[in-house]
Structures are given as structure tokens and as C-alpha cells.
Amino acid sequence: MLKNIVMLCMTIVSAKAQRPYDEAWHRRWFPHSPNELDNNPVVSDGKNLNDVHHGIAMGVVDSSCDDGKTNLQIDWYNNEENYTCFENKSLFLPRANVHPIDSVEHIPEAYNAQHKCMNESITYNEIIPTFGTHRPLWAVYGEYIFLPRHRWLHNLEHGAVAMLYHPCANKNEVNILKSLVKSCLYRHVITPYNMLSSTRPLALVSWGHRLEMSKVAPAVVIDFIKKHALRGPERTHKNGQYDYGLKENAQPVSDMDDQILCPKVSGGIEMK
């Protein structure tokens, strides 16, 4: 009896030894096999997007939230209406008798602007907002074909100044203002903005402040920048990640920190 059992075991072992070893998996894979295309949408890039102050962390490039490339149409439809004049330009001519308006909005000290991903729309109560909810990625500093307010508001939070001009504004006045801004600080963004009025088609915006003009008053512009630039709650010169429509990168003026504002301009005249 014992001899028969031993012989049976040896037969089984021998049979297993002769069977070729197979590492292949013959059952179903979950969610899919290694060679099968995954048709499921990406949920996250695996990055931590949580932020106790803003809801969504700033500056994290993530395709499920904000990568500066996906779903941009939620903020603006890429059409020429945003940066082309379709109105009577004579209505936007500079008027010496129209004085600049310098306005301020009270922002509570404990206020934290929220960041929203590109699957949520953002609306503003003001035509020219000076603070509010915005996108997690801020704009690369410089001049744009068009830059949505959802982006430049984040730059303001970092202490930047945004220069806005109506597409129908007088080109000479626009160029004067551009030159002043570029000569005053590195942390600036420049963009057309067709929501400005024909009476005052030029504007400067900082965190909590706005200056609207019909005609460039250099001394007023310089005073505004010196008083209100670099006053955002998050003062960093770190450049942004959003660059869609960027025409020209900003260049350092005094230095990357803008330690000296408008160092080469006096009364609107660039000093050599």
C-alpha cells in the first residue's frame, strides 16, 4: 500500500516537471491589460491640489484642474472681438477735460481669494475687478494679444500691475502708457480689454485699486504705480505658467524684485 502511494506521488511530480512553466495571465485584467488602451478619462495627475487658504493650490500644472492649455474657452472664446476695434474710433479719442478716476475697493485683511479649476466658470460683479476668485495658474509677465481677467487677477495678488486698454483706444495714448508701464516695473501684464468705456478707454489695475483714464497723465500713472504696485497679499516675483497669447516677455527694470519702481522715468519722460 505504502509503495503504491509513493509511486503515485512520483508520477504526479514527474508530470508537473514535464509540463512547461507558463507565466502568462489567462484571466481578466482590471481595469485593463498592460497592452490595452485606457479609454477612461484622466482624473488627476496625482498631484496634491488642496490648499487650506485658496481651496486649490496655486501654480500646480495639472490637466485635471488647470494646465494653462485645456478648456480655455470657459474664460474666453478665442475670437478677434476681444482685441480688435469694431466701433467708431472717434468715440475713443483722448479728451483733456476728462479727468482720471482713481478708485479703491476695501478688501478685508483676512480675505483669501479662491482658486477655481477650468471646469468651473467665474463671474465678477465689477467691470474692472481688482480682486476676487481666479485661476490657479497666473500669467507669465509681459504683453498679450489678449489675457482674460481670470488670469491677471492672480498676478495682481502677487503685486503686479495690469495695464488694460480698449481695442479702439487711441494708439498713441496706448503706446505712451505701455512705455511707462514697461519702464516702471517687471511685474506687469498688458492686454486689450473691450469692457472699458469710450470715455476712459485706458486703465491700470492693482490689488484693490484701479485707475481709469481718457488720456495718459504720466505723473498720475507713475504715482499710481509707486503707491499701489507690489501691494498684493502674496508678494512674489516668481513668473507665471500661463502664456497663451503672450506677445512679449516682461524685462527686469531695477531688478526681478522691482526694488525701485520707475527708476528711469520722471514725469513720464524716460531718463537716460
Side-chain angles (χ1 to χ4, degrees):
M1 180 68 177
L2 180 60
K3 181 178 179 180
N4 291 338
I5 293 175
V6 172
M7 290 295 293
L8 178 61
C9 291
M10 290 178 64
T11 301
I12 294 173
V13 171
S14 176
K16 285 186 176 181
Q18 293 175 8
R19 185 184 303 164
Y21 183 66
D22 185 5
E23 288 186 335
W25 176 254
H26 298 287
R27 297 182 182 274
R28 297 188 62 183
W29 290 84
F30 180 83
H32 56 81
S33 70
N35 297 322
E36 181 184 349
L37 181 65
D38 184 4
N39 293 317
N40 295 307
V42 174
V43 176
S44 173
D45 287 346
K47 299 168 185 173
N48 183 10
L49 298 178
N50 295 323
D51 182 275
V52 294
H53 298 295
H54 302 290
I56 301 294
M58 74 173 187
V60 180
V61 179
D62 186 277
S63 61
S64 69
C65 179
D66 184 10
D67 60 3
K69 299 176 182 178
T70 305
N71 207 25
L72 300 184
Q73 70 276 6
I74 196 170
D75 289 340
W76 72 291
Y77 292 97
N78 191 2
N79 59 54
E80 58 184 12
E81 182 181 339
N82 293 285
Y83 49 82
T84 306
C85 179
F86 291 105
E87 301 179 55
N88 186 346
K89 289 186 178 181
S90 65
L91 300 174
F92 295 81
L93 290 174
R95 307 175 206 174
N97 63 336
V98 177
H99 300 293
I101 295 179
D102 188 345
S103 52
V104 58
E105 292 185 294
H106 174 68
I107 305 175
E109 188 175 345
Y111 173 78
N112 287 310
Q114 294 300 291
H115 297 161
K116 282 192 175 182
C117 295
M118 296 303 296
N119 61 349
E120 295 185 80
S121 60
I122 303 175
T123 58
Y124 300 100
N125 295 326
E126 298 289 339
I127 293 176
I128 309 174
T130 66
F131 71 100
T133 301
H134 48 255
R135 299 304 179 192
L137 303 187
W138 64 100
V140 170
Y141 291 114
E143 182 178 349
Y144 285 78
I145 296 173
F146 177 74
L147 180 65
R149 52 190 173 173
H150 317 76
R151 298 290 176 180
W152 53 254
L153 270 173
H154 198 155
N155 290 71
L156 302 189
E157 190 178 36
H158 292 184
V161 169
M163 174 192 153
L164 314 178
Y165 62 94
H166 195 284
C168 295
N170 180 269
K171 285 189 176 181
N172 185 54
E173 295 295 318
V174 171
N175 289 334
I176 291 172
L177 188 54
K178 283 182 182 180
S179 180
L180 280 171
V181 171
K182 292 177 181 180
S183 298
C184 273
L185 77 168
Y186 164 71
R187 264 175 279 183
H188 71 263
V189 289
I190 299 173
T191 179
Y193 191 68
N194 63 8
M195 297 179 72
L196 296 175
S197 70
S198 59
T199 306
R200 293 180 177 84
L202 307 168
L204 294 181
V205 193
S206 67
W207 189 254
H209 296 266
R210 73 174 71 85
L211 175 67
E212 299 169 75
M213 298 168 286
S214 172
K215 180 179 176 61
V216 177
V220 174
V221 169
I222 294 170
D223 184 65
F224 180 89
I225 292 174
K226 286 186 174 182
K227 283 182 177 178
H228 304 305
L230 315 183
R231 302 286 182 175
E234 298 172 355
R235 302 172 194 176
T236 172
H237 68 256
K238 184 179 178 181
N239 214 350
Q241 305 85 6
Y242 180 93
D243 62 358
Y244 188 82
L246 180 67
K247 289 173 58 178
E248 179 184 307
N249 285 283
Q251 300 299 318
V253 181
S254 60
D255 56 22
M256 298 292 286
D257 285 320
D258 291 311
Q259 293 190 53
I260 304 175
L261 293 169
C262 309
K264 297 181 180 180
V265 291
S266 177
I269 301 175
E270 186 170 350
M271 307 299 290
K272 302 296 184 182

